[in-house]
Amino acid sequence: MQEFFSASRLLRTIHGPESIEEQALSLCDMSARRTGSALAVFYRIPAGRKSPKWAYQHASVGSLAAVERLSLDLEEYELILELDRALVQNDRTGPFPGLLLHGDARSALAVKVAGPVFHGILILNHTVPFHYDGDALRFVEELTSLLEFSPGGNHV
């Protein structure tokens, strides 16, 4: 029941009168709190470009600093954008090191956020290996699906 109220609150925030920046910050904040992440960052992919090369930090919450932009040429980001599925990096030696945004990060979870206004990638990091489990994965995938298909669409 708690998840329903959290998702409902996020939708009210996302579809409320706040600016796009405040909406993206709400997405990061809720994702970080629900998953216990040390860092949550939303990277916006510029709209209107056929093959953008970079995603730019649009909102960030947490105790770690993150890079300002991501190269979308990395395999990790290509997979997220093409497959519409979340990726998990459970330690520093895993297959997707580009998801670790800070030197102290040891685990990561990333998912595509898509909608009619613009889209991007939400990346969560934690300093503990194997922090992200099935519950965290389900939460971010369900949340981004809810945002994409909710009335009014996604404005983040």
Side-chain angles (χ1 to χ4, degrees):
M1 194 60 136
Q2 175 71 17
E3 287 181 39
F4 172 77
F5 289 118
S6 295
S8 175
R9 185 178 63 132
L10 178 64
L11 284 176
R12 282 194 309 274
T13 301
I14 295 299
H15 297 307
E18 291 85 5
S19 68
I20 290 174
E21 289 75 18
E22 290 170 322
Q23 294 171 3
L25 192 59
S26 293
L27 173 64
C28 290
D29 182 58
M30 178 163 292
S31 298
R33 282 192 282 136
R34 174 59 176 81
T35 62
S37 296
L39 175 65
V41 184
F42 177 71
Y43 288 94
R44 185 174 179 179
I45 298 171
R49 295 187 185 159
K50 189 133 180 109
S51 297
K53 297 288 183 199
W54 299 97
Y56 299 91
Q57 188 181 132
H58 194 71
S60 177
V61 170
S63 59
L64 303 175
V67 296
E68 290 296 317
R69 65 182 189 165
L70 303 174
S71 170
L72 296 177
D73 290 333
L74 287 177
E75 180 183 20
E76 296 84 317
Y77 306 122
E78 288 178 353
L79 283 171
I80 291 168
L81 296 172
E82 287 177 23
L83 301 178
D84 287 335
R85 302 298 297 181
L87 293 182
V88 176
Q89 172 83 1
N90 274 321
D91 62 33
R92 301 221 31 97
T93 62
F96 308 115
L99 299 181
L100 300 171
L101 301 175
H102 188 275
D104 292 338
R106 298 293 180 261
S107 55
L109 174 65
V111 65
K112 176 181 171 180
V113 178
V117 176
F118 66 91
H119 67 284
I121 300 172
L122 174 66
I123 302 178
L124 309 175
N125 278 196
H126 202 282
T127 57
V128 175
F130 297 92
H131 176 76
Y132 298 104
D133 58 11
D135 288 338
L137 183 63
R138 269 187 302 280
F139 174 77
V140 298
E141 285 188 333
E142 289 173 4
L143 179 62
T144 55
S145 290
L146 188 60
L147 288 171
E148 183 176 356
F149 297 110
S150 66
N154 162 13
H155 299 284
V156 224

